[in-house]
Amino acid sequence: MAAFVRTEESPRLPPPPSASGIWGWLRLNLFAGLGQTILTLLFGATVLWFAWTVLKFAVLAGIWDGADRNACLASPTGACWPLVREKIGQWIYGFYPIDQRWRANVCFALLVAVGIPMLVPALPFKRVNALLLVTALPLSVVILLSGGNLAFGPGSYITVAVCLLLMTVGVPFASSGIEEVLRTNRLCVLATGIALAAGLCFAVLAATGSTMAVLGSVSGLIAVCVTVAVGALAMRRQMSSGQGFALLAVSASVFAGMAALDYDFGLSTVDTAQWGGLLVTLIVAVVGIITSLPLGIVLALGRQSSMPFVRTLSVGFIEIVRGVPLITVLFMSSVMLPLFLPPGMSFDKLLRALIGVALFSSAYMAEVVRGGIQAIDRGQYEGATALGLRYWPMMIKIILPQALKISIPNIVSNFISLFKDTTLVLIIGVFDLLGIVQTTLRDPKWATPTSAATGYLAVALMYWVLCFGMSRYAKYTERRLHRGHKR
């Protein structure tokens, strides 16, 4: 009997109807067994009931036109949308003067104009946009919303100059290492010690408020400037030309920003107590997001540092801040901080909230970044060391890009949590979006049984849109950065 040898492929048969199409997907994912079928039916019934309840309240039984509460009383089980239409301006701008709200609109437009090019990978000039995002945008927002003309005194400029000089001293320590600086430039170390001691004396004497304190503070400032300047000149061997140019650019930008804030642009002054609503929510969230990530990276690296002082300081800050709730941090910044300041010195309430939120979020971000760093294989460190890279180039160019990519889901989760936690600033008298809604609901003109539910539903939709947008963009970024891992 002759053997049969096939010379061509047999025709491919279509998949069975029960395993393809929408019915196949439903059977495989939702009705694979008795238990999964029961759970699917229960969950589906719950979703349909909730969706029908919201649809009936918000659309079918809702009131869309009216001038006061009388129109909404005609449907005691439906949403009162005329309330939202009348109060939406106050929900967005708070108590900001109506004739000056164009300034807030310009700030929103600037945020979109600078932020969108950073979020779209195909658009060019990412470095320019990033520079504008952290320099020109905050400066413009502060000038537009507050009116500028902050009237900085000479002491403010001197204090900033001292801080910049101290930063100049600290750059060689960070780039070359303490051991290298101690071995090659002891004059720099001596000048740094004298500067820190003089700065401490200046702070102590300035707090006493006497005539000798003024003389002592002035002499302390002079000592700080002189010693730090000597230290900066003494460590030129440790500082590269790029680092020197960067420090010069930072210093010039800081003083230019202070001069701009000190200039009178002819805008009327609007106190931060009049800010509120979505405007304040976005300010607190954006500032917290922008500042918490770099601070978290620094704290994560400090926690893994081989220097005991840096590691202890980082661990102490992270554990202390993470051990208390955000509402405690805000309460301390609002009530307790003024008790430790010299008489007559105070910080703006909103500024205290911004600092508290940023420090609190940075402690949590530090643990997220540390988890990403620890997930990096040891071979990456060994390969960077074999190439002759020092600590900071290794971290910036090899370790941190991989660690941040791994940590994208946790980082965005922290951002979303921070955005929702902005509602807690109401505890210190800052009216965010939720706080201003609660305030407007007390208006007797709109006192109806459904006014509160309508307001909270509108706010929930606003928060959901913003948080869902952040989540989807994070998923998009994660897919885009993980293309090289696909097989």
Side-chain angles (χ1 to χ4, degrees):
M1 183 176 180
F4 174 76
V5 178
R6 184 180 294 275
T7 59
E8 59 183 9
E9 293 185 1
S10 61
R12 295 184 178 182
L13 299 177
S18 61
S20 62
I22 183 64
W23 299 111
W25 184 89
L26 291 174
R27 181 177 180 180
L28 179 63
N29 295 277
L30 300 179
F31 302 99
L34 178 61
Q36 191 170 356
T37 301
I38 295 175
L39 290 176
T40 299
L41 293 176
L42 290 176
F43 181 75
T46 304
V47 171
L48 290 176
W49 171 82
F50 180 77
W52 169 252
T53 303
V54 174
L55 179 64
K56 181 181 179 182
F57 173 79
V59 180
L60 300 180
I63 300 298
W64 299 91
D65 295 314
D68 53 20
R69 62 188 297 267
N70 295 324
C72 295
L73 289 176
S75 178
T77 61
C80 183
W81 295 114
L83 163 68
V84 178
R85 186 169 58 250
E86 179 167 325
K87 299 294 185 181
I88 188 64
Q90 193 171 1
W91 292 2
I92 295 176
Y93 306 102
F95 303 106
Y96 209 85
I98 297 178
D99 60 333
Q100 299 295 321
R101 287 180 177 176
W102 64 268
R103 290 151 61 172
N105 294 332
V106 172
C107 293
F108 290 142
L110 290 176
L111 179 61
V112 173
V114 177
I116 288 182
M118 284 294 298
L119 300 178
V120 180
L123 295 180
F125 308 112
K126 286 291 185 292
R127 293 185 178 181
V128 176
N129 288 329
L131 186 63
L132 293 175
L133 186 64
V134 298
T135 55
L137 179 62
L139 185 65
S140 303
V141 169
V142 172
I143 293 175
L144 284 171
L145 294 181
S146 66
N149 195 16
L150 300 184
F152 291 115
S156 301
Y157 287 93
I158 295 176
T159 303
V160 172
V162 170
C163 294
L164 292 173
L165 289 173
L166 286 173
M167 183 178 66
T168 305
V169 172
V171 167
F173 285 101
S175 60
S176 302
I178 294 179
E179 295 81 3
E180 181 69 16
V181 177
L182 289 174
R183 185 178 61 84
T184 60
N185 207 332
R186 296 182 179 179
L187 179 60
C188 172
V189 180
L190 178 61
T192 304
I194 297 175
L196 293 176
L200 180 61
C201 293
F202 158 70
V204 173
L205 291 173
T208 59
S210 61
T211 305
M212 292 301 295
V214 175
L215 297 177
S217 62
V218 172
S219 61
L221 281 174
I222 295 175
V224 170
C225 295
V226 171
T227 52
V228 178
V230 171
L233 293 175
M235 64 186 179
R236 286 181 299 176
R237 287 173 292 181
Q238 271 78 34
M239 183 180 294
S240 64
S241 58
Q243 293 171 347
F245 178 77
L247 287 173
L248 182 62
V250 170
S251 303
S253 301
V254 170
F255 284 111
M258 294 182 66
L261 293 174
D262 211 2
Y263 184 76
D264 186 5
F265 290 91
L267 299 173
S268 59
T269 302
V270 180
D271 191 74
T272 56
Q274 296 179 271
W275 303 7
L278 184 63
L279 176 65
V280 166
T281 297
L282 291 178
I283 289 175
V284 176
V286 172
V287 171
I289 289 172
I290 292 178
T291 58
S292 64
L293 184 57
L295 287 177
I297 294 174
V298 172
L299 289 171
L301 296 177
R303 183 158 190 166
Q304 293 187 318
S305 175
S306 59
M307 294 181 287
F309 174 75
V310 176
R311 183 173 62 253
T312 303
L313 190 63
S314 301
V315 172
F317 176 83
I318 293 172
E319 297 301 330
I320 290 175
V321 174
R322 291 175 67 224
V324 296
L326 177 58
I327 192 171
T328 304
V329 176
L330 295 174
F331 183 78
M332 290 286 293
S333 65
S334 177
V335 178
M336 300 299 295
L337 180 61
L339 301 179
F340 298 95
L341 297 177
M345 179 181 294
S346 63
F347 289 101
D348 184 78
K349 188 185 299 183
L350 181 59
L351 178 61
R352 282 178 271 176
L354 293 175
I355 295 174
V357 169
L359 294 179
F360 182 84
S361 182
S362 64
Y364 283 86
M365 190 62 66
E367 291 300 283
V368 171
V369 176
R370 185 173 68 92
I373 293 175
Q374 289 182 338
I376 303 300
D377 186 73
R378 190 65 187 174
Q380 300 292 320
Y381 294 88
E382 296 173 354
T385 305
L387 292 175
L389 295 179
R390 292 177 177 268
Y391 176 80
W392 286 108
M394 175 181 67
M395 283 293 173
I396 294 174
K397 297 180 179 180
I398 297 178
I399 304 301
L400 282 178
Q402 301 180 69
L404 294 177
K405 182 177 67 173
I406 294 173
S407 305
I408 285 178
N410 294 329
I411 291 175
V412 176
S413 177
N414 268 19
F415 288 164
I416 294 176
S417 177
L418 170 63
F419 182 77
K420 293 184 292 185
D421 285 344
T422 55
T423 57
L424 296 177
V425 298
L426 181 63
I427 194 65
I428 60 174
V430 177
F431 291 91
D432 69 310
L433 177 58
L434 183 60
I436 206 71
V437 169
Q438 292 176 337
T439 301
T440 56
L441 291 178
R442 301 191 186 104
D443 187 357
K445 179 182 177 181
W446 295 100
T448 66
T450 59
S451 295
T454 304
Y456 291 136
L457 177 61
V459 171
L461 289 175
M462 294 180 188
Y463 275 102
W464 181 81
V465 168
L466 294 172
C467 293
F468 183 74
M470 286 190 284
S471 176
R472 300 313 300 172
Y473 182 78
K475 293 291 292 183
Y476 161 74
T477 303
E478 191 175 358
R479 289 194 303 268
R480 184 173 61 88
L481 295 179
H482 279 73
R483 288 178 179 175
H485 299 273
K486 295 181 179 179
R487 302 195 178 196

